[in-house]
């Protein structure tokens, strides 16, 4: 759909990207993630597994795979999770199979995960990972957004705010940082990062080699 990802460049074979978005709760990463998924080609969401209760607006197997603590533990023990972490008192984890399949097929995946998960993915698959940390413009605005979202109980919001300071400290571990003051601008910056990363030579060595051969063959009349 988006112009940035169409055209000849899109047809040159390359390795898949694991686009990691992290932020303190309420900074806007899920909103930016949703916009990217709606507006860019060849990008799919990694649907996490969680023991957190489902919010009213959420659909099972679309936003998360909602599971019991026991089921989560079973998956973790059988190595079915590529990474996992305890966040705000609940467990969250990334199912391994869809990610391995996407990377093998050169498709890109988006991960809305916390810094602990981001760290594990960077340790396990650094060549694939492109990581972006989203910061709120102010703590007052972060608090206002958590209240405006109006999907969590007051005590849950307070717990998330209390954890925000610790989470914010992790921006240094990421490849890029975006301050989400204006949503449209933040989205376009995230889109620009992904567009540029898709064009990196190291992801396209094999595909560009084939492309070069065809270019040269066509020039000398061999094609
Ligand atoms: P996160 O996924 O980081 O917890 P969300 O994406 O759910 O955060 O955003 C929290 C709330 O803030 C939502 O109601 C969202 O619509 C709103 N929001 C996101 N970005 C902005 C922005 N730039 N300006 C104002 N409100 C925003
Ligand atoms: P929420 O409950 O608001 O949906 O998410 C709470 C936090 O957990 C967010 O920071 C979100 O990015 C993170 N999270 C969601 N899924 C995963 C996951 O699979 N792994 C990790 N490590 N964190 C996750």
């Amino acid at each position: 759909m988006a112009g940035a990802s169409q055209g000849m460049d899109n047809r040159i074979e390359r390795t898949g990207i694991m686009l990691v978005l992290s932020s303190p709760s309420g900074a806007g990463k899920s909103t930016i993630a949703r916009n990217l998924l709606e507006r860019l080609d060849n990008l799919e969401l990694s649907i996490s597994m969680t023991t957190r209760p489902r919010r009213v607006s959420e659909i099972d197997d679309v936003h998360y795979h909602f599971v019991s603590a026991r089921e989560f533990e079973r998956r973790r023990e059988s190595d079915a999770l590529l990474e996992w972490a305890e966040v705000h008192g609940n467990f969250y984890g990334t199912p391994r199979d869809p990610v391995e399949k996407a990377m093998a097929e050169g498709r890109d995946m988006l991960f809305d995960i916390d810094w602990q998960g981001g760290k594990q993915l960077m340790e396990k698959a650094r060549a694939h990972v492109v990581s972006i940390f989203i910061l709120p413009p102010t703590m007052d605005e972060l608090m206002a957004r958590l209240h405006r979202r109006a999907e969590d109980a007051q005590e849950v919001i307070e717990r998330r705010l209390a954890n925000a300071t610790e989470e914010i400290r992790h921006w240094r571990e990421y490849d890029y940082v975006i301050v989400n003051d204006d949503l449209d601008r933040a989205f376009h910056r995230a889109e620009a990062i992904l567009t540029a990363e898709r064009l990196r030579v190291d992801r396209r060595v094999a595909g560009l080699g084939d492309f070069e051969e065809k270019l040269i063959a066509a020039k000398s009349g061999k094609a």
Side-chain angles (χ1 to χ4, degrees):
M1 201 168 87
S5 57
Q6 285 180 346
M8 185 71 89
D9 272 314
N10 208 28
R11 295 202 290 272
I12 293 174
E13 193 190 316
R14 62 171 173 81
T15 55
I17 290 173
M18 295 165 66
L19 183 67
V20 173
L21 289 190
S22 302
S23 77
S25 187
K29 71 184 163 313
S30 302
T31 309
I32 294 169
R34 195 167 52 241
N35 289 349
L36 288 169
L37 291 162
E38 279 170 10
R39 290 156 76 173
L40 296 185
D41 283 332
N42 188 31
L43 182 65
E44 64 188 277
L45 178 67
S46 162
I47 303 173
S48 297
M49 191 160 283
T50 183
T51 60
R52 165 169 78 61
R54 189 174 62 79
R55 293 180 183 137
V56 187
S57 65
E58 290 174 330
I59 302 167
D60 193 15
D61 297 335
V62 172
H63 298 98
Y64 279 107
H65 302 295
F66 294 96
V67 295
S68 64
R70 200 176 172 162
E71 174 66 6
F72 190 94
E73 201 180 321
R74 200 180 66 75
R75 299 295 178 105
R76 196 180 59 193
E77 294 301 311
S78 65
D79 208 26
L81 301 177
L82 191 54
E83 63 75 31
W84 66 273
E86 186 177 353
V87 191
H88 314 307
N90 295 298
F91 289 99
Y92 298 81
T94 299
R96 178 189 296 277
D97 288 354
V99 184
E100 292 186 344
K101 193 159 184 283
M103 290 309 107
E105 293 170 5
R107 289 179 286 116
D108 299 337
M109 272 201 138
L110 189 155
F111 301 77
D112 175 339
I113 60 178
D114 86 322
W115 67 270
Q116 302 174 82
K119 189 165 182 258
Q120 292 172 58
L121 293 190
M122 285 186 246
E123 282 164 6
K124 284 184 178 159
R126 194 63 188 94
H128 287 286
V129 174
V130 174
S131 57
I132 307 178
F133 201 87
I134 312 284
L135 286 172
T138 64
M139 292 309 268
D140 281 351
E141 175 61 14
L142 184 72
M143 198 186 320
R145 286 182 194 171
L146 280 171
H147 282 109
R148 227 180 297 138
R149 185 165 70 188
E151 297 219 51
D152 295 316
Q154 184 59 29
E155 69 199 54
V156 174
I157 291 181
E158 275 161 22
R159 181 166 197 175
R160 285 172 178 241
L161 273 172
N163 289 341
T165 321
E166 172 57 26
E167 287 168 5
I168 282 171
R169 294 214 167 90
H170 291 279
W171 61 265
R172 284 180 184 79
E173 293 144 33
Y174 283 66
D175 299 322
Y176 300 92
V177 173
I178 296 175
V179 178
N180 177 20
D181 45 359
D182 176 86
L183 183 56
D184 212 41
R185 188 164 46 221
F187 161 74
H188 281 109
R189 288 182 174 169
E191 180 188 36
I193 290 166
L194 183 59
T195 302
E197 289 282 349
R198 283 175 166 177
L199 296 173
R200 285 183 68 103
V201 166
D202 52 4
R203 301 190 202 290
R204 310 205 293 166
V205 173
L208 282 170
D210 293 346
F211 185 69
E212 178 194 15
E213 261 179 42
K214 280 188 201 133
L215 270 181
I216 291 168
K219 185 184 166 217
S220 59
K222 281 188 268 168

